[in-house]
Amino acid sequence: MPNDISFSPLCNELADKARAIAQTHVLPNAAKYDRLQEYNWDAARACAAAGLFRTFIQPEYGGLGAGILALARVTEELARADSGFGVAFAVNALGSFPIIVGGTEEQKQRWLPSVARGEKMVAFCLSEKFAGSDAQGLSVRAVEDGDDYVICGEKKWTTNGGVADIYSVFCVTDPNSKSRRISAIVVEKGTPGFSIQKVENKMGIRTVPVVETHFDHVRVPKANLIGGRPGYGFKHAMMTLDLARPGVAAQAVGAAQGALDLANVYANRRQQFGVPISNHQLVAKMLADMAMKTEAARWLVYAAAVAAEKGSADTSKMAAMAKCFATDVAMEVATEAVQVFGGYGFMEDYPVAKCFRDAKILQIYEGTNQIQRIVIARHMVKELGALEHLKQYIPTETQKDYGGAPVAT
Ligand code: CAA
């Protein structure tokens, strides 16, 4: 049974602030920054001034402790104006969650307050060239040397790379262990040997940098090992993704709503056969379907956010369902929005082409939608215990007599 979804006054206040910033600082510059592939620092500063980076950080560390539902609503509002800026914001939570779920008190005090103030941006370094979906297969190595770790290797697809000051880096600390192989270590910008080697030239979300991060004998103190104990990195990564996937799902809802808004305005303005095209029933059906699916995704995302916030037993499943469903909806709605715009939709002069380009990555990052379906199906197997009573109503393939129901022979 889903948890109750209710919005606290703080959650509504933060969402309202995000919407205002989206309209004044994000939307007007989205096309320009997309073309230039530049980060919207002006909007980031506005978010910091409005306290939006405090949303996902507990009060003890300078945050508001507003929770995952508030984080989802803020991300949704920002992504509605520009999906790239939505993820640029949300990745700060993704990169902070390893510290929040696994860090020591000292580590939380050391890094989280500056994130809450919006002074320092954060990135999450898990994926590598040869380790994407198979996150346990990563190979960046951290070797103990006295009081330090020395890190060597490369990470791929680091969102916010270059912009961020704090990087949660997942490394192999014990190559011989099966279940305690990986640890998360914080690397700060400017540490010798740490560099950005390649800024990716992307199809979409061009307003946020995605980079390769290189580690050439990067020496960091053992105090940067998240949680202080090696071997818990993979667990922390998975717990992080459970908390962050409702955020990327919220980005998808915002992206879908943004595309739908454009299609709605255009369909009611564009005249063909003497009437707005929204009067043609096939176009009206498209708009109605887009609206229904976006709304359904929105409430699944909110339900997943509440599950994550409450630490419900089905958090992973809900997060995966929300991520998968909402991002599939975003792609579908963006595709239909281009269709509503017709030939104009295919042209970069019109904003809906950007929505289409921005949508695709949603189905890929923070775990492909194929991986989400695996997570969901694995959880469904775990739920079989509660369905034991149904077995009596399902004849086995060899059962001959079953109350008149057709029986396989
Ligand atoms: N919470 C806590 N622990 C968990 C967990 C969870 N949700 N899921 C798994 N674990 C634990 C297991 O209990 C197990 O622990 P033990 O070894 O102690 O028994 C351990 O982790 C291994 O679990 P699995 O055997 O299930 O792991 P797996 O290798 O089969 O992988 C997977 C599972 C779900 C496929 C995982 O690898 C995965 O999520 N892959 C996708 C990676 C991903 O999402 N990458 C995104 C990168 S970030 C990004 O894209 C951000 C961006 O740019 C914006």
Side-chain angles (χ1 to χ4, degrees):
M1 195 62 173
N3 293 295
D4 286 346
I5 300 167
S6 58
F7 303 118
S8 66
L10 176 61
C11 174
N12 287 330
E13 184 191 324
L14 290 165
D16 288 348
K17 284 181 176 172
R19 182 177 296 193
I21 290 170
Q23 285 171 6
T24 51
H25 292 74
V26 183
L27 188 59
N29 296 311
K32 181 178 87 181
Y33 289 133
D34 172 67
R35 199 170 54 251
L36 298 173
Q37 299 208 55
E38 274 181 20
Y39 183 79
N40 189 341
W41 280 108
D42 174 49
R45 278 189 290 270
C47 288
L52 297 187
F53 293 106
R54 298 185 194 278
T55 306
F56 51 90
I57 293 177
Q58 302 100 309
E60 308 88 276
Y61 313 110
L64 292 166
I68 306 295
L69 182 57
L71 173 64
R73 294 221 22 229
V74 167
T75 304
E76 177 188 336
E77 293 296 346
L78 298 172
R80 186 171 178 174
D82 174 25
S83 192
F85 190 73
V87 70
F89 174 81
V91 161
N92 289 289
L94 174 73
S96 300
F97 282 142
I99 301 168
I100 291 170
V101 300
T104 62
E105 184 58 28
E106 188 270 333
Q107 290 170 338
K108 291 177 188 179
Q109 294 289 357
R110 180 171 160 202
W111 287 304
L112 296 178
S114 56
V115 177
R117 289 192 295 272
E119 288 166 10
K120 291 198 172 171
M121 303 288 163
V122 198
F124 181 78
C125 302
L126 178 67
S127 302
E128 299 178 4
K129 278 183 186 158
F130 300 105
S133 293
D134 180 10
Q136 287 206 79
L138 60 86
S139 66
V140 164
R141 188 77 167 91
V143 178
E144 286 185 56
D145 184 26
D147 290 337
D148 300 330
Y149 277 105
V150 178
I151 306 173
C152 287
E154 295 168 18
K155 290 287 178 184
K156 190 87 182 153
W157 300 307
T158 304
T159 306
N160 262 1
V163 163
D165 305 276
I166 297 169
Y167 296 75
S168 294
V169 185
F170 292 83
C171 311
V172 177
T173 44
D174 184 353
N176 299 318
S177 169
K178 193 169 179 318
S179 59
R180 297 282 172 263
R181 195 171 161 265
I182 296 167
S183 304
I185 299 176
V186 170
V187 175
E188 295 184 59
K189 190 178 195 166
T191 309
F194 173 49
S195 61
I196 306 296
Q197 294 276 345
K198 184 183 180 212
V199 180
E200 304 286 357
N201 182 13
K202 307 184 294 307
M203 172 199 289
I205 57 158
R206 290 159 66 94
T207 57
V208 63
V210 172
V211 308
E212 276 183 14
T213 42
H214 287 219
F215 303 84
D216 180 7
H217 297 87
V218 174
R219 184 173 283 276
V220 293
K222 280 187 178 164
N224 287 23
L225 172 71
I226 293 180
R229 287 183 304 170
Y232 289 86
F234 191 72
K235 227 172 198 46
H236 291 158
M238 293 297 106
M239 291 162 75
T240 288
L241 289 168
D242 285 347
L243 295 177
R245 282 176 181 153
V248 80
Q251 184 203 343
V253 171
Q257 188 66 56
L260 173 62
D261 293 343
L262 292 169
N264 191 15
V265 170
Y266 185 75
N268 282 285
R269 189 187 82 187
R270 170 80 171 165
Q271 303 257 338
Q272 289 292 283
F273 305 102
V275 291
I277 60 171
S278 61
N279 286 18
H280 299 302
Q281 288 182 344
L282 288 179
V283 176
K285 177 189 181 296
M286 288 168 76
L287 293 170
D289 285 348
M290 291 156 75
M292 277 192 290
K293 288 173 186 174
T294 303
E295 201 61 22
R298 174 174 288 120
W299 289 96
L300 179 57
V301 171
Y302 294 165
V306 173
E309 200 162 291
K310 296 202 165 156
S312 304
D314 61 354
T315 294
S316 295
K317 185 181 80 172
M318 290 294 288
M321 292 202 305
K323 194 277 176 185
C324 189
F325 186 78
T327 60
D328 281 350
V329 164
M331 189 70 248
E332 195 181 331
V333 168
T335 305
E336 291 293 75
V338 172
Q339 193 71 18
V340 168
F341 273 74
Y344 292 106
F346 197 65
M347 304 303 150
E348 286 290 346
D349 297 342
Y350 282 69
V352 77
K354 173 178 175 297
C355 296
F356 180 82
R357 289 187 285 101
D358 285 349
K360 186 61 211 172
I361 189 61
L362 293 161
Q363 295 175 302
I364 299 171
Y365 64 20
E366 286 202 31
T368 64
N369 284 3
Q370 286 72 21
I371 288 292
Q372 307 308 324
R373 287 175 167 96
I374 287 171
V375 171
I376 296 163
R378 281 186 184 176
H379 272 264
M380 289 172 67
V381 172
K382 289 185 195 157
E383 289 161 1
L384 282 176
L387 302 175
E388 200 60 29
H389 63 287
L390 288 179
K391 279 190 176 169
Q392 59 184 310
Y393 301 111
I394 306 174
T396 63
E397 285 74 359
T398 53
Q399 205 170 333
K400 291 265 187 270
D401 182 14
Y402 181 73
V407 172
T409 50

